[in-house]
Amino acid sequence: QVQLVESGGGLVQPGGSLRLSCAASGSIFYRMGWYRQAPGKQREWVGTIIRDGTTNYADAVKGRFTVSRENDKNTVFLQMNSLKREDTAVYYCYSDDRFVGYSRSWGQGTQVTVSS
């Protein structure tokens, strides 16, 4: 049902910034957010924004990353500041159609590489 289109990944130096975007189509979102998976590591939750605007973040990114959404559109952003080498990962966006008993849709992922 839901199609997700991601953009914004790339190569950035430590301390730099990058902004990812993910646009959903096909239905109204109730929850959208981001996961990431570093090489050899398990997939890790990054942050979420709920339809009412409430946000939550993993401890590892608090104070550096911000999840936001575009008004009147099912588009979510991940603003990443003060990037560290350990932030290198494939970043995946997701969308849930409801708060409970949801059907989750995933983007294909976008590579973020933090390196000097």
Side-chain angles (χ1 to χ4, degrees):
Q1 280 274 58
V2 177
Q3 305 268 357
L4 303 179
V5 180
E6 296 171 294
S7 62
L11 176 65
V12 64
Q13 293 186 202
S17 298
L18 207 60
R19 184 173 181 259
L20 308 181
S21 65
C22 178
S25 62
S27 67
I28 304 300
F29 85 92
Y30 293 87
R31 181 191 300 108
M32 295 184 72
W34 299 88
Y35 276 77
R36 67 184 182 184
Q37 189 165 26
K41 305 296 182 181
Q42 298 179 50
R43 187 170 293 189
E44 174 190 31
W45 175 73
V46 174
T48 300
I49 186 164
I50 303 172
R51 192 173 183 179
D52 67 359
T54 303
T55 56
N56 290 284
Y57 301 95
D59 288 341
V61 306
K62 283 182 180 178
R64 300 189 298 118
F65 290 11
T66 303
V67 179
S68 62
R69 61 179 170 85
E70 193 171 86
N71 289 336
D72 303 317
K73 293 184 178 181
N74 291 339
T75 303
V76 66
F77 304 94
L78 182 65
Q79 178 66 48
M80 303 182 292
N81 299 324
S82 302
L83 283 162
K84 306 173 180 178
R85 272 178 261 271
E86 52 262 45
D87 294 319
T88 295
V90 178
Y91 284 72
Y92 300 90
C93 66
Y94 67 90
S95 177
D96 298 338
D97 63 346
R98 65 196 69 180
F99 291 103
V100 179
Y102 56 81
S103 177
R104 178 162 290 178
S105 299
W106 291 92
Q108 291 300 117
T110 184
Q111 177 70 50
V112 173
T113 302
V114 184
S115 180
S116 299

